[in-house]
Amino acid sequence: MKRKNLILAAASLCLTAALITSCSPKVYSEANLILPAQPLEAVQVFEPGDDVPDEAIGIGTVAVRDMGFATRCKYDNVVHMAKQRTAETGGNGLLITEHKTPNFWGSSCHQVAGTMLYISENGEISDSLRRAASMKATQVQLEKKSKYRIDIPSSQDIFGVNAGVSFLDSRIETPWGDYDNRAGFNVTAHYDHLWSRGVGVGALANYNTTSIHGQTLSTFFVGPEVVYGLRFAYRWYFDVGLGAGYGYYNDGEEGHSGFGSNARFGIDYLFNEKVGLSLMMNAQTIHLKKPKGFELKKNEFYGVSHYGIELGLQFYL
């Protein structure tokens, strides 16, 4: 594989990760009742400890969360975003029930969660409306498990196993001649430890195999990684990892060791809080000692490089 192709592959993975990550905080909401939209200026904000009118009812919950690289997330900004969602849902009151301030180990943004309220102008609300809304605002507990909670664990451990097709993209010498552009099979296992900002470290092991003239060629890679992971929607998670370590290549007759590097990008669909279906793209290179008499082309190195796409499961421990 040409060196510039590998650089482009790694850059593409990082660029994709950057594009997925929003520059603004994300607003999540869940409505028990949707009413006609209200003007933004009609929404009153009640801070924790403020008295909420008895006639107020909770029509849903709202949360504004940091997506990892968020900007424009001062307290006034995130409250304004929560007010906008409240007005769109038909509420005219917002009770702030949770406020996470920026900190070094967590998010650099303010994050809030609250209850969207409807407050009757004449102080009276029909019983049917109360039943439709399910509960009064003061009875809404965001502490119960909800997909819109803004709690972020101080750390998380993730284990993933994937398998799929791969494509040899380097010219390599074998006992039967020089070969490149061969299809193969990939198996990858990785373990990540993430901190609350999504940055972490991990380890990855990969086994790749292909066949030439009935003979099996295989590679093995294992090494540490720098990783970044982000849950960017209720059931969606993505991660990217860059690693370097030990690489091994077997041409069917003898083995060769060298320096290896790996870049991966994955998107997961979460079945629940513990298990997700993972789609991973992988690019790997193992540098080997060039045999005598093997002529390299311009911008070519001697070794094994392959890329692939894999499907598997990811477990959130």
Side-chain angles (χ1 to χ4, degrees):
M1 182 182 184
K2 293 182 178 179
R3 193 181 305 273
K4 66 179 182 179
N5 289 344
L6 181 62
I7 295 173
L8 287 174
S12 297
L13 296 182
C14 295
L15 178 61
T16 305
L19 290 174
I20 287 180
T21 307
S22 173
C23 291
S24 298
K26 181 74 173 179
V27 182
Y28 296 93
S29 63
E30 184 175 29
N32 301 325
L33 180 68
I34 298 178
L35 300 172
Q38 300 276 352
L40 180 63
E41 57 272 16
V43 180
Q44 304 176 58
V45 177
F46 300 92
E47 299 285 351
D50 289 351
D51 292 331
V52 178
D54 292 336
E55 60 271 17
I57 62 170
I59 62 172
T61 58
V62 61
V64 183
R65 301 198 310 184
D66 174 21
M67 298 308 294
F69 294 107
T71 59
R72 301 185 296 275
C73 51
K74 294 181 179 180
Y75 182 69
D76 289 346
N77 293 340
V78 295
V79 170
H80 181 78
M81 296 172 72
K83 285 179 61 178
Q84 285 181 315
R85 182 60 56 87
T86 300
E88 293 169 1
T89 308
N92 55 7
L94 172 64
L95 172 62
I96 303 296
T97 58
E98 215 172 341
H99 174 206
K100 284 188 175 291
T101 56
N103 64 83
F104 180 79
W105 296 108
S107 170
S108 59
C109 289
H110 287 270
Q111 300 181 87
V112 297
T115 302
M116 298 183 290
L117 308 174
Y118 177 76
I119 306 170
S120 173
E121 293 182 0
N122 57 18
E124 297 181 0
I125 295 178
S126 67
D127 290 340
S128 61
L129 183 57
R130 286 190 182 276
R131 286 194 298 268
S134 303
M135 60 187 69
K136 291 184 178 180
T138 53
Q139 295 172 334
V140 174
Q141 298 293 324
L142 278 181
E143 288 73 21
K144 67 182 180 179
K145 289 186 177 180
S146 168
K147 58 186 177 185
Y148 302 109
R149 289 199 62 172
I150 63 174
D151 287 341
I152 301 174
S154 58
S155 64
Q156 185 168 31
D157 296 300
I158 300 172
F159 175 72
V161 180
N162 295 71
V165 296
S166 67
F167 303 92
L168 180 68
D169 193 32
S170 60
R171 190 166 59 96
I172 190 74
E173 183 180 76
T174 75
W176 313 280
D178 300 348
Y179 289 91
D180 60 3
N181 298 323
R182 308 290 297 187
F185 179 73
N186 236 11
V187 178
T188 303
H190 67 93
Y191 174 82
D192 305 334
H193 178 81
L194 303 180
W195 291 283
S196 58
R197 297 181 73 115
V199 178
V201 295
L204 179 140
N206 172 269
Y207 175 77
N208 175 266
T209 181
T210 189
S211 179
I212 297 177
H213 295 302
Q215 299 295 321
T216 299
L217 279 65
S218 62
T219 64
F220 176 75
F221 168 85
V222 62
E225 286 189 303
V226 175
V227 296
Y228 178 77
L230 175 69
R231 184 168 174 175
F232 63 94
Y234 173 39
R235 289 191 180 274
W236 293 96
Y237 173 88
F238 91 92
D239 58 0
V240 60
L242 297 173
Y246 172 76
Y248 177 82
Y249 164 67
N250 190 297
D251 62 12
E253 291 190 356
E254 59 180 339
H256 310 268
S257 297
F259 173 79
S261 59
N262 191 86
R264 65 179 172 91
F265 170 76
I267 296 180
D268 301 351
Y269 176 79
L270 280 66
F271 298 123
N272 51 50
E273 294 294 326
K274 295 296 183 181
V275 182
L277 179 67
S278 173
L279 179 66
M280 177 193 295
M281 290 169 283
N282 213 13
Q284 186 178 113
T285 299
I286 299 175
H287 292 260
L288 302 170
K289 183 178 180 180
K290 182 175 72 70
K292 292 182 179 180
F294 190 93
E295 295 296 329
L296 293 175
K297 299 177 182 179
K298 186 179 180 180
N299 296 324
E300 187 180 30
F301 72 94
Y302 185 77
V304 181
S305 65
H306 58 84
Y307 59 93
I309 184 167
E310 306 171 34
L311 194 65
L313 293 175
Q314 194 140 275
F315 303 91
Y316 309 87
L317 309 177

